[in-house]
Amino acid sequence: MASGFFALLDDIAALMDDVATMGKLATKKTAGILGDDLAVNAEKASGFLSSREIPVLWAITKGSLKNKVIILPFAFLLSAFLPQSIPIILTLGGLYLAYEGAEKIYEFFVPHHHHTEKIVEAKTEADLLKLEQEKIKAAIVTDFILSVEIVIIALGTVVGHPLTTQIIVVSVVALIATVGVYGIVALIVRMDDFGLKLINLNEEDNSFSDKIGRILVQALPWVIKGLGVVGTIALLLVSGGIFIHNIPYLHDLFHTLPSILSELISGTVIGFVVLLIISLFKKIKSKI
C-alpha cells in the first residue's frame, strides 16, 4: 500500500512537471495575442465615467470568464476526438490574426473613409446605462474571438500530450489570460485618476507630485496607442509563427532566416494577401 501511495505521488509530481513545462511554452506562444488583447480591451474599457470604469471592467471580466467556460469544453472535445483538426483551426486562426494586423497597418498608412455610426445622445440615466450595456456586450463579443484564438494556440502547444495535461495547461493559460489582461487594463484605465489625485495631493504649484500626476494623465492615451502598435506587431509574429510551423513550404523557404524575421515576413505578406482578397470580395459584393 505504501509503495502504491508513493507511486501515486511520483505520478502526480511527473504530471505537475509536465504541466509546468508545457504551461511555460503555451504562455510564451500566447503572449503575442495577449498583447493585442490588452490593447483592444484597454481601449474598450476607457471612455466611461470615472465612477463606472471599474464596474464596467468587472462586467467585461465576468463575460470573459463565461466565454472561456463555453470555449474550453469544445476545444478539449476537438483535441480528444478530432486532434487532426487543431492544425487546420490554428492555420485559419492565423489567417484571421494576419488579416487583422495587416488591416491595422493599412488603416494607419493609407487614409480612407471610415464608416461612422450615428452617435445616440444619452439624456437620462437609463440612456447612459443602455449605452454602457451595449459597449459591454460589444467588448465581450470581441473577447470571445480573442479567447478562441488564445485557447486554440495554447491547445496547439500541448497536442499529443495526455488529455489531463492538456486540460490543466490550457485552463491555466485561459485563466491567466483573463486575470492578467483585465488586471493590467484596470491599472491602465485608472492612470489618469491616480494622476489627478497626485495633482490635488497638496496646494503647492508645480510640486513633485504635480509633475508625476501630469505625466500619468498625459501618458494614458499614449500608453493605449503604444499597446496598439505592440499588439499589431504581435499579431503578425504570432500568425507568422503559426504559418511557419504548420506549412512545410514556408518552413523550408525561410529556414535560413532568424525565426522572428521569418515569422514577421510570413505574417505580414499573408496578412496583406488576405486583406486584398477580402477587400476585392467586399467591392464585388457591393456592386452586386
Side-chain angles (χ1 to χ4, degrees), residues 200-262:
N200 298 325
L201 188 62
N202 54 62
E203 296 181 358
E204 296 180 16
D205 292 331
N206 206 30
S207 64
F208 178 74
S209 62
D210 290 345
K211 293 177 181 178
I212 298 298
R214 283 193 289 269
I215 289 174
L216 291 176
V217 172
Q218 296 170 2
L220 178 59
W222 290 102
V223 169
I224 294 176
K225 288 180 181 179
L227 286 172
V229 173
V230 172
T232 300
I233 296 172
L235 286 174
L236 298 175
L237 287 174
V238 171
S239 60
I242 291 173
F243 301 142
I244 293 293
H245 289 96
N246 291 280
I247 302 177
Y249 173 76
L250 291 179
H251 182 272
D252 296 336
L253 182 65
F254 294 112
H255 75 279
T256 58
L257 295 177
S259 60
I260 189 170
L261 184 59
S262 62

Side-chain angles (χ1 to χ4, degrees), residues 106-168:
Y106 174 76
E107 289 179 350
F108 181 80
F109 286 104
V110 182
H112 59 288
H113 175 73
H114 289 271
H115 173 71
T116 55
E117 295 181 359
K118 185 179 178 181
I119 299 175
V120 181
E121 184 180 356
K123 297 180 179 180
T124 65
E125 186 176 349
D127 291 336
L128 285 171
L129 290 174
K130 184 179 178 181
L131 288 173
E132 185 179 287
Q133 290 301 316
E134 289 175 355
K135 289 184 177 180
I136 290 172
K137 288 180 181 178
I140 292 174
V141 170
T142 301
D143 176 90
F144 186 87
I145 297 171
L146 293 171
S147 294
V148 170
E149 295 166 357
I150 290 169
V151 169
I152 293 299
I153 291 173
L155 188 61
T157 64
V158 291
V159 168
H161 290 264
L163 184 60
T164 304
T165 303
Q166 294 182 27
I167 292 174
I168 296 174

